[in-house]
Amino acid sequence: MTNTIKKSNELVINIKSFSSNILKYYLAAFFYIIKSKKIKFKMQPTKYKKLTILRSPHKYKRAQEHYQLKIYKNTLIIKDVNISELLILLTNKPQGVFINIKVKQIN
């Protein structure tokens, strides 16, 4: 078994987080450990989820609580990655960071 993925494949890694600071630090560690020059970085737009809850159970419509949830997303496309480096990053990810990995074949 080899330690690298075939050159005709590339990894598409989607990273999501609720905190922008945690995401920045994780990406900095990602770029520090994987020193490959074949990394494409795409910053996806931030998604907002808004929720409004009535404070009063009866007639007071104006008494409302507003909540907002922000989801920050980034996409990395990596060619010729070492699997051991990738495993280090996946096992040491902080709480609040969600990762989705896809292998894309290039023809």
Side-chain angles (χ1 to χ4, degrees):
M1 186 172 169
T2 62
N3 233 5
T4 59
I5 295 175
K6 293 180 183 177
K7 291 186 179 181
S8 63
N9 293 338
E10 64 183 13
L11 288 177
V12 178
I13 302 173
N14 293 320
I15 304 171
K16 294 181 185 179
S17 179
F18 297 120
S19 172
S20 64
N21 292 333
I22 292 174
L23 189 62
K24 286 179 189 176
Y25 289 127
Y26 186 67
L27 286 174
F30 205 98
F31 286 118
Y32 180 74
I33 291 175
I34 296 181
K35 296 175 182 170
S36 174
K37 296 179 182 176
K38 297 182 179 181
I39 297 177
K40 293 181 186 175
F41 177 73
K42 293 182 183 178
M43 194 165 190
Q44 302 292 332
T46 303
K47 285 193 174 182
Y48 298 97
K49 291 185 179 181
K50 295 182 180 181
L51 178 67
T52 304
I53 299 174
L54 296 176
R55 274 193 236 169
S56 174
H58 298 294
K59 63 180 183 177
Y60 301 106
K61 176 79 173 164
R62 293 183 190 150
Q64 296 178 356
E65 292 284 335
H66 299 282
Y67 298 101
Q68 181 173 342
L69 181 65
K70 293 182 182 181
I71 301 172
Y72 300 94
K73 292 194 284 183
N74 288 326
T75 301
L76 299 173
I77 300 172
I78 305 173
K79 295 180 183 178
D80 303 332
V81 66
N82 191 345
I83 293 177
S84 62
E85 293 173 349
L86 191 63
L87 287 176
I88 290 171
L89 288 169
L90 294 178
T91 55
N92 295 328
K93 71 178 183 73
Q95 288 184 337
V97 174
F98 306 100
I99 298 175
N100 184 13
I101 300 175
K102 293 179 185 176
V103 178
K104 185 178 176 183
Q105 292 185 356
I106 303 170
N107 294 330

